[in-house]
Amino acid sequence: MAYSRIGASGIFFAQLIERMGIASEINARARITPSGFTAERLVSGEADLAVQQISELKLVPGVEIVGPVPLELQSRRCFPPAVWQPRRGSRHPMRF
């Protein structure tokens, strides 16, 4: 298994396995990546399962996504958009 040490998915997964009481067992065998795409560990043969946000897993060619974490274990994350307005009172806001 591979998961990231940083980022929303890595922090979420580390907290999840801690809450489930299986962190020591998972971490004893896991490839915890300092950064980057965990699915690259699948391609290299270092892991047989990778945990990360689906949008990041999709970026690694050849990876098959088996599905999300079960709904009851998921944590909602909000990533709001932002707009840069070059001058105060600009009449050209972007529409989301």
Side-chain angles (χ1 to χ4, degrees):
M1 168 177 286
Y3 72 94
S4 178
R5 182 172 306 282
I6 62 170
S9 61
I11 293 168
F12 163 76
F13 189 70
Q15 291 171 347
L16 174 64
I17 61 176
E18 189 67 41
R19 280 195 319 268
M20 294 177 71
I22 59 172
S24 60
E25 292 88 352
I26 295 292
N27 289 331
R29 300 179 62 187
R31 294 285 186 177
I32 304 172
T33 61
S35 63
F37 299 120
T38 60
E40 290 176 345
R41 300 285 190 219
L42 299 173
V43 175
S44 69
E46 296 173 74
D48 54 5
L49 180 69
V51 177
Q52 201 162 33
Q53 292 180 45
I54 290 174
S55 60
E56 294 175 345
L57 293 171
K58 286 182 175 182
L59 294 174
V60 180
V63 171
E64 178 183 351
I65 297 173
V66 295
V69 171
L71 188 58
E72 63 273 10
L73 298 177
Q74 290 184 21
S75 174
R76 182 181 167 116
R77 299 285 191 241
C78 181
F79 296 95
V83 176
W84 177 68
Q85 294 184 351
R87 56 191 164 99
R88 189 171 179 88
S90 174
R91 296 193 157 263
H92 305 287
M94 294 178 62
R95 290 185 176 199
F96 183 73

